[in-house]
Amino acid sequence: MAGGAAPAGRACPTPLHFARFQPSPAARHVWVPSRRTQRLQLLKVTSADAPQAAGCQQQQQQQQLEFPAQAESSGCNLDKELVANSSAASTGTQQGGAAAAALAATHDQQQQQRQQQQQQPLQERAPKWPVDSTRSSGRSTSSSSSTSACNVEQPPEIGVAPHIDLEQLASGAQQQRPRRGALPAAPAAPGPPDPAAAAVAAGAAAAGSSATADAGLLYPPSERTQIRNSWNSLMRWARYFRLREETDTLQVDKVVVFGGGSFGTAMGVSLARQRKNIQVTLLLRDPYLCRDINELHCNTRYLKDFELPINVNATTSAAEAITGAQFAIHAVPVQHTRAFLQGIKDLMPPMLPIISVSKGIEVDSGQLMSEVVPSVLGKKHPTAYLSGPSFAKEVMMGRPTGIVAASKDKALARTVQRLFASPSMRVNTTTDVIGVEICGSLKNVLAIAAGIVEGLELGPNAMAALVAQGCSEIRWLATKMGAKTATISGLSGLGDIMLTCYGSLSRNRTVGVRLGQGEKLPDILASSSQVAEGVPTAAVVVNLARKYRVQLPVLTAVAQVLDGHITAKQAVFEIMSLPQIEER
């Protein structure tokens, strides 16, 4: 039967040499590159891996059918014989004996090639699989590439070598491990430096840091997947709420700002920038400053380095400012608020919301702003209170800022949030008005203490200990007055404390620094153009501590220094000499 055709119903016998490339049901053979010697080793895969091996065999046949011209031009007799014999074995049209003889000759030729390779040095014997560019260039190869590839023996299951990332080579990163069944490309022989290639490598190295970060090489794959899933979940949640907010727009035509100080002007400018159709009117007492704002578009007294939008104007007439306004931003200092509101009480519409940005406690009555405003305008007048870490100059510069809108009316707090929210300003809401106000008032007193430590040059250790003790004292008093713990540790509490105590733009901190350096309080206040609310608030804090039976060593010491009873150095010495207590 060796010389004739195979009988019907019986497959053509498969020679031993062809069994390597024609997988049987019991075993499959795949070509895998050896990592140590860079030689091809024949690994035997059990029947459990049969589907994967079958896929490799189909890929081999498909590739040989797609690149017949390359196979002929390369002169690789082994591939040509394999294609021919594979076709003969599949169709059964050729004689088994002839196929066996041809395969035997091919096997002898292959053994001679291997013996010649073993006589060469190891580096020369390493297979150098060329990078095939036919897949990216329409599966077309030039005659030169075909000629260079004819001397290279490629395994039947491999069509192209893995792609080489130029950015990884330029940045010195290791090449990624190739997938199973793929052969790594050998490094090119060293040659003279190419200026064009050096320029490309320099550009790739310049973007190496960002490319590495985008590739996700910092974390293991499992952690990377979890991080990306968490981030994608957060982005989906944000898109959902943004779409809902787009359908719920707030139409505002005019806003009035009571006072022309730095922070009141900054909040008005923030609204004017994000809402081009809104009219922001500042109600001032100084006609000269009013003229500068209207003609020069600049608050020449407090924010002379910034230009105001054209939809911001000023007036000294309360009736003109309030008429047609839908919101009123109250930025008058706390100690002058009662007299100011009494003067415009008859002009105020009963349902005009007042958004107070003033922080502090009234000295005469010991009341917070949430108590002063209703006592003048009535308890039913809608009011909200803004607080948080926000310097006026940084708001004018458009830097990211976070604040809190507090109101007992949740709907009003939400409306204020929608009014001020922008890409550069986040606004949280809360109903804890007491917590927001007491933290915004007491942090000014603590900032004076922090400035004293800075003026005395006591170092970061003393600063951290002082601020931590001050935060505890604010928490003790605030919780006694009914504040929520979450408010104290949030933006309007801890966030505002950190900014005021460590920020160089803080007015109260500046007063403390000058006190620590030995200056007198009257001279400091006379040379300052802005009000430091912590100075009058310090005495009120002592009265509140007595009322609620709370010991406040740091805040009480500030009141003593401001009143001139002790010096800044004596205050530090006395506080450090207090009995050692348990942390609470």
Side-chain angles (χ1 to χ4, degrees):
M1 299 296 297
R10 182 177 179 184
C12 181
T14 303
L16 178 62
H17 308 91
F18 188 70
R20 299 190 218 172
F21 309 103
Q22 182 67 27
S24 63
R28 297 291 187 269
H29 300 78
V30 296
W31 287 89
V32 178
S34 174
R35 297 179 61 184
R36 173 177 293 182
T37 62
Q38 297 293 323
R39 298 180 58 188
L40 301 177
Q41 296 181 355
L42 193 63
L43 302 181
K44 190 171 185 179
V45 183
T46 59
S47 59
D49 298 332
Q52 181 177 2
C56 297
Q57 181 68 17
Q58 293 177 1
Q59 180 182 0
Q60 163 205 348
Q61 296 177 0
Q62 181 68 21
Q63 178 185 357
Q64 293 178 355
L65 292 176
E66 292 179 354
F67 301 94
Q70 181 178 358
E72 292 178 1
S73 62
S74 62
C76 298
N77 297 327
L78 178 59
D79 292 342
K80 295 168 60 177
E81 293 294 337
L82 289 177
V83 173
N85 288 291
S86 298
S87 176
S90 60
T91 58
T93 58
Q94 294 184 359
Q95 298 180 355
L103 289 173
T106 301
H107 178 61
D108 295 340
Q109 183 179 0
Q110 182 180 3
Q111 287 184 348
Q112 293 178 1
Q113 293 178 358
R114 290 181 179 177
Q115 291 177 0
Q116 294 177 0
Q117 291 178 358
Q118 291 177 359
Q119 296 177 1
Q120 298 177 357
L122 181 61
Q123 297 181 353
E124 298 180 2
R125 285 188 284 122
K128 298 179 175 56
W129 311 117
V131 178
D132 194 353
S133 60
T134 57
R135 293 190 178 182
S136 60
S137 61
R139 297 184 178 273
S140 62
T141 53
S142 61
S143 60
S144 60
S145 61
S146 301
T147 306
S148 62
C150 68
N151 297 328
V152 181
E153 178 185 359
Q154 294 188 0
E157 71 275 11
I158 300 301
V160 294
H163 175 66
I164 300 177
D165 193 348
L166 296 178
E167 294 183 358
Q168 291 185 358
L169 295 178
S171 59
Q174 292 184 355
Q175 186 176 351
Q176 295 182 356
R177 182 179 179 179
R179 56 182 173 83
R180 181 181 177 89
L183 296 178
D194 187 1
V200 173
S209 58
S210 59
T212 303
D214 295 339
L217 302 179
L218 181 60
Y219 302 104
S222 59
E223 296 183 8
R224 186 187 313 154
T225 302
Q226 294 178 359
I227 295 173
R228 291 181 178 179
N229 290 340
S230 300
W231 177 256
N232 293 335
S233 176
L234 178 63
M235 292 299 101
R236 287 193 298 269
W237 171 81
R239 286 193 297 268
Y240 168 76
F241 276 91
R242 280 198 297 266
L243 290 176
R244 192 175 69 174
E245 290 176 353
E246 289 177 358
T247 60
D248 186 19
T249 58
L250 182 64
Q251 298 295 334
V252 180
D253 297 326
K254 183 179 180 180
V255 173
V256 59
V257 180
F258 297 154
S262 59
F263 194 70
T265 303
M267 297 304 292
V269 169
S270 177
L271 289 178
R273 286 174 176 172
Q274 63 173 315
R275 299 174 180 268
K276 303 300 183 181
N277 298 328
I278 195 175
Q279 180 63 45
V280 178
T281 301
L282 305 181
L283 179 57
L284 310 178
R285 295 181 303 171
D286 188 355
Y288 298 100
L289 180 60
C290 181
R291 183 192 59 186
D292 292 342
I293 292 176
N294 292 331
E295 296 180 0
L296 303 178
H297 298 288
C298 178
N299 190 329
T300 55
R301 178 174 299 177
Y302 301 108
L303 298 169
K304 59 182 179 180
D305 297 330
F306 299 94
E307 181 180 0
L308 305 183
I310 58 175
N311 53 341
V312 174
N313 64 346
T315 180
T316 57
S317 173
E320 179 184 352
I322 296 175
T323 301
Q326 296 168 267
F327 293 92
I329 301 176
H330 182 84
V332 179
V334 175
Q335 309 308 325
H336 305 283
T337 293
R338 187 179 296 274
F340 174 80
L341 292 179
Q342 287 177 349
I344 64 172
K345 178 180 179 180
D346 297 336
L347 301 175
M348 289 287 293
M351 299 306 296
L352 177 61
I354 293 182
I355 306 171
S356 174
V357 298
S358 303
K359 304 175 183 178
I361 304 175
E362 192 178 39
V363 174
D364 297 336
S365 63
Q367 293 180 343
L368 299 170
M369 285 294 298
S370 59
E371 299 171 315
V372 174
V373 175
S375 65
V376 178
L377 301 179
K379 294 182 178 180
K380 294 184 179 180
H381 200 98
T383 56
Y385 305 89
L386 284 182
S387 184
S390 50
F391 282 146
K393 288 187 177 180
E394 296 198 359
V395 173
M396 292 290 294
M397 297 171 65
R399 292 183 175 178
T401 303
I403 58 178
V404 177
S407 178
K408 295 180 180 180
D409 185 358
K410 291 184 178 180
L412 179 58
R414 173 60 179 159
T415 302
V416 174
Q417 181 185 51
R418 292 160 54 197
L419 178 65
F420 284 96
S422 68
S424 60
M425 181 172 292
R426 287 188 55 84
V427 184
N428 297 343
T429 61
T430 182
T431 57
D432 185 13
V433 177
I434 297 296
V436 169
E437 284 212 88
I438 196 65
C439 290
S441 302
L442 271 61
K443 59 96 179 179
N444 292 326
V445 183
L446 181 58
I448 295 176
I452 291 175
V453 172
E454 182 70 20
L456 293 175
E457 299 181 355
L458 299 180
N461 288 355
M463 178 68 73
L466 173 85
V467 174
Q469 174 64 24
C471 291
S472 298
E473 295 180 10
I474 293 175
R475 173 170 52 86
W476 299 339
L477 180 58
T479 52
K480 286 282 188 177
M481 297 177 65
K484 298 179 181 179
T485 306
T487 305
I488 302 172
S489 60
L491 272 175
S492 59
L494 186 60
D496 209 357
I497 292 172
M498 293 296 105
L499 180 72
T500 311
C501 292
Y502 290 98
S504 59
L505 298 177
S506 172
R507 300 188 297 267
N508 296 280
R509 182 180 180 273
T510 302
V511 171
V513 171
R514 298 176 66 177
L515 286 173
Q517 294 174 349
E519 296 187 41
K520 300 297 181 180
L521 181 61
D523 299 335
I524 297 174
L525 298 179
S527 61
S528 178
S529 61
Q530 298 183 352
V531 178
E533 290 286 356
V535 175
T537 304
V540 184
V541 171
V542 177
N543 296 332
L544 290 176
R546 187 181 300 109
K547 177 181 178 180
Y548 290 96
R549 298 181 180 181
V550 180
Q551 296 292 336
L552 308 177
V554 171
L555 301 183
T556 304
V558 173
Q560 288 287 83
V561 173
L562 292 175
D563 200 32
H565 288 286
I566 58 176
T567 63
K569 292 183 179 180
Q570 290 176 343
V572 173
F573 175 79
E574 294 296 341
I575 290 177
M576 292 300 296
S577 302
L578 291 175
Q580 311 296 325
I581 61 173
E582 182 180 0
E583 183 78 11
R584 62 188 179 95

